[in-house]
Amino acid sequence: MIEKAEKILQQYYGYSSFRPGQEEAILHVLEGRNTLAVMPTGGGKSLCYQIPGLSLDGTAVIISPLISLMKDQVDALLSYGIAATYINSSLSAEEQHQRLRDMKSGRYSFVYVAPERFDSPNFLSALNSIPLSLIAFDEAHCISQWGHDFRPSYRSIVPTLKKVSNLPVLMALTATATQEVIKDIKQLIDVSEEDVVNTGFARENLSFRIIKGRDKREFIDEYLTKIPNESGIIYTATRKDADQLHYLLTKKGFSAGKYHAGMTEHQRKQSQMDFVQDEIKTMIATNAFGMGIDKSNVRYVIHYAMPMNIESYYQEAGRAGRDGEPGDCVLLFSSQDINLQRFLIDQSPSEEKKKDEYVKLQAMVNYCHTHTCLQQFILDYFDDPTAPEPCGKCSNCTHEGEEQDMTKEAQMVLSCIKRMGEHFGAGLTAKVLKGSKDQKVKQFRFDTLSTYGIMKGYTEKQLTRFIHFLTAEGYISTGQGKYPALQLTKEAVSVIKGDQPVIMLVETTTARQELNYNEQYFEELRQLRKRMADEVGLPPYVIFSDATLKELTVYLPETKQEMLQIKGVGEQKWEQYGETFLQFIRPWAENADSKPKPVRPSDASMASKKDPWEDRPSYMITYELWDEKSMSIQEIAEERNMSPQTIENHLFRSAKEGKDIHWPRWFNEEQEVQVLQVYEQSEDRKLKTIKEQLPEDYTYSLIKAVLARHHLK
Ligand code: ADP
Ligand code: ZN
């Protein structure tokens, strides 16, 4: 049975292997067992009902509460040459009738409907009169009263449905389900324990990053400048921020649109369409944007401010990388964000709700300050069943950038703030530290302070950025008034006294790009795809995904046979678009010195195993260079274009995974014992705390190495 499914996977979709959970879910459905599939966004849930729908006789009915997604799904199926349609309230009564008649004649393999359709006697009679292959509940968490998007009308169709005379196998699919929700769905549609396929919520292609102490606008400017052609979303906390940022970015010439509830429905629709059609690259939006948008090639999601809870954060950030290609999820944190969220929570009339929201907010704040793996932190929060390992690529796992001891600089800034009377903002403080001749500096006679000009080696911009960092770290608070006035906190006092060091991690801005593809060719293929998409009125990624285009630029196929080897190219796509693309690619191939061959599992029974090269974690690559090629940390850092710290962290990670490491390079026995003792006695077990209690020459590297050897961090 599974052979047939594999054939369909290859023939229609052009994929050579299943993603985790897909094969299992498909098998259960094919065996006629009601199945619940819990898979992360972008995990490939659609295939789990589409492949059984194609293998079994009859029509598959897909119920989805998100009307806006139906058209996309249907377009995608049609592009594979599969007969599909949707029936919902966006159509005229005439069209609805026509499609219903066609459905009754058995014309469709797939019919998408909203839950309301079950109130229609006509629809029910159609259901009862044709053979059905399966019925699937998409976004199934909405049928559970424990789900955060509970829709009573969705739940209420279940009893009606069960009266259908030729009831086929049922399937439920969702990306968010707590244990309670799972239990509820199981009961509701009779799924037995063995037929729950739960792959957890991890999104392995996403890298999470938290950036503190940077000027947010400057960060975004640099970021977009580096990847102006990639598609991404920037979430702001308020409409005002969205408007301002949009104004600034478009003024600078970036291709950006905006979306928030203050715009008219028409404006919002237009904006959303521009984004989906790749007319604009960056969408700047409030959290009003995203529900029901299925754009698979979103490469980054930047949060301009911290959201209210981890649920929203993961949902919004999760809109990156639905196509399985790398997605960069960046949260720009500043401590003012917390005040804003508190303020929003305080608007709620219900005390109980407020309390609940505060607890969730605290978890969000903890996420921003945690030293553990960010992916792990999120999954723990959701009680993920898979007990995940550290991801190896979030900003905490990689510690990309340099750790710098900034204690002395922090003392200068803090004492300057104190001397200025704790009444002024970051801008003026930076001017004083820089020794600026600004009017305002003179007016307040700040040029007579002992801190005037003590940091003149820095630019004002760097100083402001550093002040933001100190604020994010909790050494400075910004007061409650309309204009933020910098004030020292308790922690600041310990810094000034020399009791507490200030360590700053200088992050890099680069977005990750993992596949070594040809950017220029990619750009040309992307334009070709856009032209073709416009011609047929489809979103570009329905033609081919970004991943497919990237592979095309690497493997440069010249024949149909070679083209079918490319991920995402099946018979149908070949028929429709193959030649057009080949014509484009052939001249490149002719000019190329050599062409690599796609590495694909050759034996079909191996198909569900992961391609070892595709998913090899970064730290393993480092370890191999270290172990097999005996390269030094410095050499590997240069070769891989990463910082030595990152390389070192990779090695420690490898050690934790059981690889051999020659430890004397980092510490001797006496140092090891001492670090362990301090670790045991420290309260919070944070690196910083441990370092403070050890002699000067115990570097962070040394401490991290000891902890890695003993699997302590
Ligand atoms: P979900 O509904 O779980 O969010 P989708 O079904 O929309 O995810 O799938 C996300 C993307 O992954 C789609 O572009 C889809 O074509 C692709 N995909 C699904 N299954 C596979 C597979 N086995 N191999 C490669 N790509 C896949
Ligand atoms: Zn991580």
Side-chain angles (χ1 to χ4, degrees), residues 9 13 15-19 22 39-47 73 80 138 294 296 322-324 545 567:
L9 182 71
Y13 301 92
Y15 298 137
S16 55
S17 57
F18 284 113
R19 294 239 183 99
Q22 283 182 328
M39 290 181 189
T41 312
K45 286 185 284 298
S46 320
L47 252 60
Q73 293 273 0
Y80 296 125
D138 206 3
D294 186 10
S296 67
R322 296 193 57 154
D323 51 10
S545 70
K567 180 156 101 185

Side-chain angles (χ1 to χ4, degrees), residues 42-215:
K45 286 185 284 298
S46 320
L47 252 60
C48 295
Y49 61 78
Q50 287 174 357
I51 290 186
L54 289 168
S55 346
L56 300 167
D57 291 333
T59 302
V61 175
I62 320 300
I63 314 162
S64 166
L66 297 175
I67 292 189
S68 56
L69 288 190
M70 290 181 193
K71 186 169 179 316
D72 283 356
Q73 293 273 0
V74 168
D75 282 345
L77 285 170
L78 292 174
S79 84
Y80 296 125
I82 298 166
T85 196
Y86 59 91
I87 309 179
N88 65 32
S89 56
S90 73
L91 303 170
S92 69
E94 186 51 40
E95 285 170 310
Q96 292 184 19
H97 275 119
Q98 182 58 44
R99 292 188 184 187
L100 205 57
R101 275 197 297 276
D102 287 343
M103 175 182 164
K104 253 183 161 163
S105 71
R107 184 170 148 194
Y108 299 117
S109 302
F110 293 91
V111 177
Y112 284 78
V113 297
E116 295 76 61
R117 201 55 30 192
F118 284 81
D119 299 334
S120 147
N122 276 341
F123 176 73
L124 289 176
S125 101
L127 267 193
N128 276 304
S129 63
I130 53 169
L132 298 170
S133 54
L134 62 94
I135 294 182
F137 293 80
D138 206 3
E139 309 292 340
H141 57 280
C142 300
I143 65 176
S144 166
Q145 47 204 340
W146 309 111
H148 66 279
D149 272 335
F150 177 44
R151 306 200 182 195
S153 64
Y154 196 2
R155 187 184 184 91
S156 69
I157 69 177
V158 175
T160 317
L161 186 72
K162 286 196 175 158
K163 286 194 213 119
V164 170
S165 56
N166 48 346
L167 191 69
V169 57
L170 302 181
M171 183 164 203
L173 306 111
T174 175
T176 52
T178 58
Q179 289 308 321
E180 265 171 327
V181 172
I182 291 178
K183 203 168 137 208
D184 198 21
I185 298 176
K186 272 170 59 189
Q187 248 166 17
L188 206 62
I189 64 167
D190 306 323
V191 177
S192 63
E193 185 57 41
E194 313 83 74
D195 296 321
V196 178
V197 180
N198 186 349
T199 63
F201 309 103
R203 301 276 312 275
E204 274 153 24
N205 57 325
L206 299 188
S207 29
F208 292 91
R209 295 198 282 153
I210 293 174
I211 307 284
K212 295 180 196 170
R214 286 280 320 254
D215 181 84

